[in-house]
Amino acid sequence: MGKFIIFDLDGVIFDSKQNMRVSWIHVNKKLKYNVSFSKYFKNIGVPFEDILKKLRIKKNISEAKKIFREKSIQNFDLVKIYPYVKSTINQLKKKKIKLGIITSKEHSRTKKLLKKFKLNFKYVQCPVSGYKGKPNPFLLNKLLKRAKERKQDTYYIGDTYTDYKFAKNSKINFIFCNYGYGKIDIRSVRKIKKINDLLSII
């Protein structure tokens, strides 16, 4: 057993904000939700269905999810990989550190994006239908069982308060990405300005 680093996807590995914007605007227009993208974006970090619950949207959930997914895939060219991601991942692999992904993005789009940017993670965990997503620890416990790693050796790299709560609920280490989408004012939380800062921490 050794160190196990698990990354969030959006806001940590990929800058997908413009992709989300286009996708949500299309859903909003098609289904007449009348909910701005800024309100949608404030709730990211949890599964799509949970975002809609937070926005008090109860109608056409399955259709909204399908429309969002299709529009997102059509506009994958709007997704950008953050600087130093590939080189940092390569360096961590050279150190024989296990790497994984836990994201609120559904499995099909996660796999397509990782393939598009030629990123190979052995351990990838997406939401599971019928089970709670972040910040519930279910996804972490499921992935740790597969990886056969201990919580005290596991780090979650995230960019939102939801990610912080997820790591805390899961009883694992947490590192916050200042370059992502969220903000945290908790002094005790370790923060990085760019992803390759991890190399001097772990």
Side-chain angles (χ1 to χ4, degrees):
M1 292 185 179
K3 290 179 180 177
F4 186 27
I5 301 178
I6 306 172
F7 298 92
D8 181 29
L9 205 61
D10 299 307
V12 175
I13 300 294
F14 300 126
D15 182 0
S16 52
K17 187 174 182 178
Q18 294 308 314
N19 179 275
M20 291 184 210
R21 185 191 301 276
V22 168
S23 302
W24 178 252
I25 288 173
H26 189 68
V27 169
N28 201 37
K29 184 178 179 181
K30 194 106 174 176
L31 299 179
K32 297 180 171 59
Y33 283 154
N34 196 30
V35 175
S36 68
F37 175 70
S38 61
K39 287 183 179 179
Y40 171 88
F41 194 70
K42 284 179 182 178
N43 293 284
I44 63 165
V46 298
F48 184 78
E49 297 94 328
D50 292 343
I51 294 177
L52 297 192
K53 285 180 183 178
K54 287 174 178 286
L55 295 172
R56 298 182 180 178
I57 295 173
K58 299 178 181 179
K59 294 181 180 180
N60 304 314
I61 305 299
S62 296
E63 187 178 358
K65 187 176 181 179
K66 181 182 178 183
I67 293 170
F68 190 97
R69 176 184 174 276
E70 290 175 352
K71 201 67 178 177
S72 174
I73 292 172
Q74 287 172 14
N75 290 280
F76 267 176
D77 59 308
L78 295 176
V79 178
K80 309 298 179 186
I81 190 168
Y82 281 110
Y84 311 113
V85 166
K86 288 189 175 182
S87 60
T88 300
I89 288 171
N90 288 336
Q91 287 298 314
L92 291 171
K93 285 182 176 179
K94 285 181 180 179
K95 291 183 177 184
K96 307 297 182 183
I97 295 174
K98 282 186 181 179
L99 303 179
I101 296 283
I102 292 181
T103 176
S104 293
K105 190 186 295 295
E106 96 276 353
H107 186 263
S108 61
R109 281 191 296 143
T110 297
K111 284 292 189 180
K112 286 178 184 293
L113 276 174
L114 292 176
K115 184 177 181 180
K116 173 181 170 64
F117 288 95
K118 298 179 181 179
L119 295 175
N120 183 29
F121 287 90
K122 183 176 181 179
Y123 302 99
V124 178
Q125 184 62 61
C126 300
V128 178
S129 180
Y131 292 87
K132 291 183 178 180
K134 295 188 295 184
N136 187 282
F138 170 77
L139 296 179
L140 183 280
N141 292 331
K142 185 174 175 63
L143 193 62
L144 279 189
K145 189 175 180 179
R146 283 175 52 207
K148 298 179 180 179
E149 290 294 342
R150 302 180 302 176
K151 290 188 176 184
Q152 60 262 43
D153 298 322
T154 301
Y155 295 77
Y156 191 60
I157 317 301
D159 70 306
T160 64
Y161 184 70
T162 296
D163 293 332
Y164 164 72
K165 286 175 63 180
F166 172 62
K168 191 172 183 180
N169 291 343
S170 302
K171 298 180 181 179
I172 59 174
N173 303 292
F174 179 67
I175 297 176
F176 182 75
C177 297
N178 270 335
Y179 60 83
Y181 301 144
K183 292 182 179 180
I184 283 185
D185 296 323
I186 304 169
R187 288 188 177 183
S188 60
V189 173
R190 184 173 285 180
K191 304 174 182 70
I192 57 174
K193 293 181 179 179
K194 51 188 185 303
I195 198 167
N196 59 349
D197 289 341
L198 285 174
L199 298 174
S200 60
I201 295 175
I202 297 175

